[in-house]
Amino acid sequence: MFRHTYATVLKENDISLKAISVCMGHNGTGVTKDVYINLPEEIYDCEKVIGNFIIDILPQTDFVFDIQISEKDLLELLPQKVYNMVG
């Protein structure tokens, strides 16, 4: 479920399908698109159900990770071998 959410949120934030596929370790964009990217309504419905569970398991802290990273920078962080495998 979290992989679906992850992929969907990245896509909603204009990250390319190729970059999402690489991050998820897929050999192509088809699986990412057809299996992991869901309609936003489905994702937000899930949040209502698991919201309290997430609060319970996450450490309680005031620190917020708010790091902006461009798709170009993200792809530079990935191993070149993995990036070149995705078509």
Side-chain angles (χ1 to χ4, degrees):
M1 175 170 40
F2 291 116
R3 289 176 59 84
H4 294 259
T5 303
Y6 175 70
T8 301
V9 169
L10 288 177
K11 187 64 180 166
E12 285 180 348
N13 284 282
D14 299 321
I15 302 299
S16 74
L17 192 54
K18 183 172 184 175
I20 298 168
S21 297
V22 170
C23 289
M24 296 185 72
H26 297 158
N27 288 328
T29 58
V31 171
T32 307
K33 179 180 169 223
D34 297 339
V35 176
Y36 286 96
I37 295 180
N38 303 106
L39 297 173
E41 298 82 28
E42 295 172 3
I43 300 300
Y44 296 120
D45 284 347
C46 291
E47 192 278 328
K48 293 175 188 173
V49 174
I50 64 169
N52 289 333
F53 171 73
I54 292 173
I55 290 170
D56 288 343
I57 63 170
L58 290 177
Q60 301 301 313
T61 180
D62 292 332
F63 186 77
V64 176
F65 290 97
D66 189 17
I67 301 169
Q68 299 295 322
I69 186 166
S70 70
E71 181 178 330
K72 178 182 173 282
D73 292 337
L74 177 65
L75 293 176
E76 287 178 4
L77 296 172
L78 297 171
Q80 192 66 27
K81 180 179 176 184
V82 172
Y83 180 73
N84 288 330
M85 288 173 41
V86 178

